[in-house]
Amino acid sequence: MNAFILRLDLIHPVIAGNKWFKLKYHLKAALEANSRGLLTFGGAWSNHLVATAAAAASAGLPVIGVVRGERPATLSPTLQDAENAGMELFFVSRAEYAGEDQLHQAMLERFPGFHLIPQGGQSSLGVRGAAEILQLVPDLANYSYIACAAGTGTMMAGLVEASIPHQQVLGFSSLKLGDTVNNSLTTFLDQQTSVKNYQFIWQYHFGGYGRKTTSLTDFMRELYQRTGIPTDIVYTGKMIYGLNKMAEEDLFSPQTRLLVIHSGGLQGNRSLPEGLLGY
Ligand SMILES: *Cc1c(COP(=O)(O)O)cnc(C)c1O
C-alpha cells in the first residue's frame, strides 16, 4: 500500500492543523452577528484554546477561555500562550464544569452577547469548516482510505461529509471509551453525517485521552528520526502508531492508497520531559 500525509501542522504556527478549519465559520458567525467576542472551553493543554485565542486576536475580537478547576499558581505553557494572545481565562469549579448544557447557559449569562464555541469546536459550524480540509487535496479521488485522529469527532465528520463514496474514513479515537457503540463520538457522527462511509478504530488510545506509554513515545521519536514528521502524544502519534500496526497486520490491500491527515497541534507534547521526543 501507499500512504500519503496531508501536513496541516505546517499551515500556521499557532492556529495549526484542524483548529483553523473548525473555527472558520464560528468567526464568521460572530462577526456577522456583531458578537461582543468569542467564548470557549478547554483544558490546560488544549490546542483549541490557543488556536481560538489566536484566531480571535487576528479578527480583533475579545475572547474568553473557560477552564476547569482553580487557577493554578503557574499556568501551563499552553494557557500562558492563550493569555498572552489576549484570551481572558475564566476558571470554574469542577462541579460547575460537569454538565455541558448548564455550563453553557451559566457562561452565556455571565458573558452576554458572546458567541459560544463548544469545547473542541464540536458543532455543525465546526464540521462545515472541517469539510474544507479536503479541498487542499487536488487528487482526492485517488485515495481509498482517509485516516484521522478523533477527539470530539468534528474533523472526522467534516472529512466524511467531503469524502467520495468509494472512500472509507478511519477515525482513530484518542479517548478510551468503554461503550464503543453508544458514546460521544458515535452519537456526534450519527447526527452530523449524511453518509456512512466511516469506521472508528478504538484500540489505540494508550490508556486514555492524553495518556501515553513508552512504546508510543519511542514510536514517535523514531518516526521523527526517519521522516522528519513530528506528531503529538494526544492525537496524531496514536493514529500513525495504529496505522502502522494495521499495515503490519496486512489489514490493507496492496492497492490501497491511504491519505493520512496530520491535524497539527503539538500542545500535548509540552507536558513531556524535554528531549524525550527529540523535537
Ligand atoms: C484537536 C485535535 C484533534 C481532534 O479533532 P476533533 O475534531 O476534536 O476530533 C486531532 N488532532 C489534533 C492534532 C488536534 O489538535
Side-chain angles (χ1 to χ4, degrees):
M1 88 155 169
N2 283 301
F4 302 81
I5 187 159
L6 180 66
R7 298 282 306 273
L8 299 182
D9 56 320
L10 299 174
I11 60 180
H12 187 282
V14 180
I15 324 178
N18 67 11
K19 299 298 181 279
W20 166 247
F21 291 91
K22 294 200 287 181
L23 289 169
K24 177 179 171 183
Y25 288 103
H26 280 289
L27 273 178
K28 198 158 177 263
L31 290 169
E32 280 171 7
N34 267 323
S35 301
R36 286 174 57 204
L38 302 178
L39 170 67
T40 197
F41 307 82
W45 308 104
S46 168
N47 288 317
H48 167 72
L49 275 190
V50 211
T52 308
S58 73
L61 281 169
V63 57
I64 293 157
V66 179
V67 184
R68 179 175 23 189
E70 300 265 299
R71 186 184 175 99
T74 346
L75 291 177
S76 69
T78 302
L79 292 182
Q80 191 61 61
D81 282 358
E83 205 170 71
N84 294 347
M87 178 175 264
E88 182 191 326
L89 297 178
F90 186 79
F91 290 84
V92 297
S93 71
R94 275 161 208 281
E96 224 182 329
Y97 207 104
E100 190 170 56
D101 289 347
Q102 282 155 288
L103 177 67
H104 284 182
Q105 209 182 327
M107 290 303 108
L108 282 174
E109 277 165 28
R110 182 93 180 40
F111 303 106
F114 276 73
H115 174 86
L116 186 146
I117 306 174
Q119 175 149 339
Q122 190 180 39
S123 53
S124 6
L125 287 181
V127 172
R128 203 208 294 177
E132 295 183 2
I133 290 172
L134 292 183
Q135 291 175 5
L136 298 176
V137 185
D139 61 341
L140 181 63
N142 291 339
Y143 300 94
S144 39
Y145 284 92
I146 300 170
C148 70
T152 64
T154 308
M155 165 175 57
M156 181 178 171
L159 295 173
V160 169
E161 286 302 279
S163 67
I164 299 171
H166 75 268
Q167 299 173 326
Q168 271 286 320
V169 177
L170 303 177
F172 288 76
S173 173
S174 55
L175 317 171
K176 179 182 179 178
L177 293 162
D179 183 344
T180 56
V181 179
N182 284 306
N183 58 50
S184 56
L185 281 172
T186 55
T187 308
F188 186 72
L189 264 283
D190 234 18
Q191 287 166 353
Q192 297 286 332
T193 56
S194 54
V195 284
K196 301 295 163 206
N197 55 331
Y198 63 84
Q199 199 180 318
F200 283 103
I201 313 287
W202 301 110
Q203 65 266 45
Y204 297 105
H205 54 70
F206 292 85
Y209 187 74
R211 302 285 180 90
K212 57 178 189 297
T213 63
T214 38
S215 56
L216 176 65
T217 49
D218 286 349
F219 173 80
M220 289 166 58
R221 187 176 53 249
E222 281 157 28
L223 178 71
Y224 181 73
Q225 282 165 358
R226 265 191 302 124
T227 64
I229 299 172
T231 52
D232 79 287
I233 52 163
V234 184
Y235 300 108
T236 55
K238 293 179 179 181
M239 165 187 58
I240 297 180
Y241 183 105
L243 284 168
N244 197 56
K245 267 273 164 352
M246 290 166 71
E248 279 173 11
E249 290 163 6
D250 279 334
L251 294 182
F252 296 106
S253 74
Q255 296 79 29
T256 297
R257 286 172 61 91
L258 167 70
L259 177 64
V260 181
I261 309 297
H262 190 315
S263 37
L266 301 178
Q267 294 296 334
N269 293 350
R270 297 172 87 176
S271 65
L272 298 174
E274 257 201 73
L276 182 69
L277 298 173
Y279 54 89

